[in-house]
Amino acid sequence: MAAQDALKRTGADAVGNGSGNGEEAGGGTGIILKRQARPTAGAAGGGAGSRVNDPAVLREMVQKLASSSTPLAKSMDYLQEDLENMRKEYKFWVTEKRLYIEELQREERVQGETGSVDARMNDLESQIKQAKDRIIGLKGQVLRNDDKISKLLVMATSGK
């Protein structure tokens, strides 16, 4: 905030000096670059040159500059800390990503194995069903053969 006030005052000084150069005033925006007026031989201490050479004014300007640069220096420190924290967090998330990719690959491999186990199990179940159907068919055939044998025995014992 103090830096903005200093810029405004510097802009007002440039306009107040009456130099008439539009580049020096800068149109009221940005940093104004100009040369300080040198005191002439006939000037008696009241000009712009004596103002710059005045230690009190110079001290005040340096204090304003220092007070306006302190927040900038603190924000630069915070910026460095933020960068370090962001790097750490990035490394953390890269590690997390790698772990989850490995876990996903492991699960896909297990699912692939499980899929083959499921297919084998379905195949075995169908083989079991076919075997049961054959057993039922064979039992039916055995029962029919038993009936034939019984009839033949009855015929052989009865003499017909």
Side-chain angles (χ1 to χ4, degrees), residues 4-22:
Q4 291 174 347
D5 293 337
L7 279 175
K8 287 179 185 176
R9 270 189 251 124
T10 307
D13 288 345
V15 172
N17 284 341
S19 60
N21 190 351

Side-chain angles (χ1 to χ4, degrees), residues 73 108 151:
E108 287 174 346
K151 286 181 185 175

Side-chain angles (χ1 to χ4, degrees):
M1 197 68 165
Q4 291 174 347
D5 293 337
L7 279 175
K8 287 179 185 176
R9 270 189 251 124
T10 307
D13 288 345
V15 172
N17 284 341
S19 60
N21 190 351
E23 293 177 1
E24 289 178 357
T29 60
I31 298 174
I32 301 168
L33 300 175
K34 66 176 186 172
R35 290 182 180 239
Q36 294 290 329
R38 299 219 186 255
T40 58
S50 65
R51 187 177 154 216
V52 173
N53 292 332
D54 186 15
V57 172
L58 186 60
R59 184 186 68 216
E60 182 181 331
M61 290 174 68
V62 169
Q63 285 177 348
K64 285 181 182 179
L65 178 63
S67 67
S68 64
S69 66
T70 301
L72 178 62
K74 286 183 181 180
S75 66
M76 293 301 286
D77 291 339
Y78 292 139
L79 179 67
Q80 185 64 32
E81 290 175 15
D82 287 345
L83 284 174
E84 290 173 11
N85 289 335
M86 284 188 275
R87 283 188 189 116
K88 287 178 186 176
E89 188 173 355
Y90 176 74
K91 287 180 182 179
F92 169 78
W93 286 115
V94 166
T95 305
E96 285 288 312
K97 177 186 171 190
R98 190 182 72 244
L99 291 175
Y100 280 109
I101 286 174
E102 289 173 1
E103 184 177 339
L104 177 66
Q105 290 172 347
R106 190 175 333 110
E107 285 184 14
E108 287 174 346
R109 190 173 46 249
V110 167
Q111 284 180 354
E113 293 171 359
T114 311
S116 65
V117 169
D118 287 342
R120 178 149 168 82
M121 194 164 121
N122 289 338
D123 184 43
L124 290 174
E125 286 177 353
S126 68
Q127 288 178 4
I128 290 172
K129 186 175 187 309
Q130 289 173 356
K132 283 182 180 181
D133 289 343
R134 278 194 314 248
I135 290 171
I136 290 172
L138 290 174
K139 281 183 180 179
Q141 189 175 359
V142 167
L143 287 174
R144 284 190 297 273
N145 288 339
D146 279 345
D147 284 342
K148 284 183 186 178
I149 291 173
S150 300
K151 286 181 185 175
L152 286 174
L153 282 175
V154 167
M155 284 185 358
T157 55
S158 64
K160 294 185 181 177

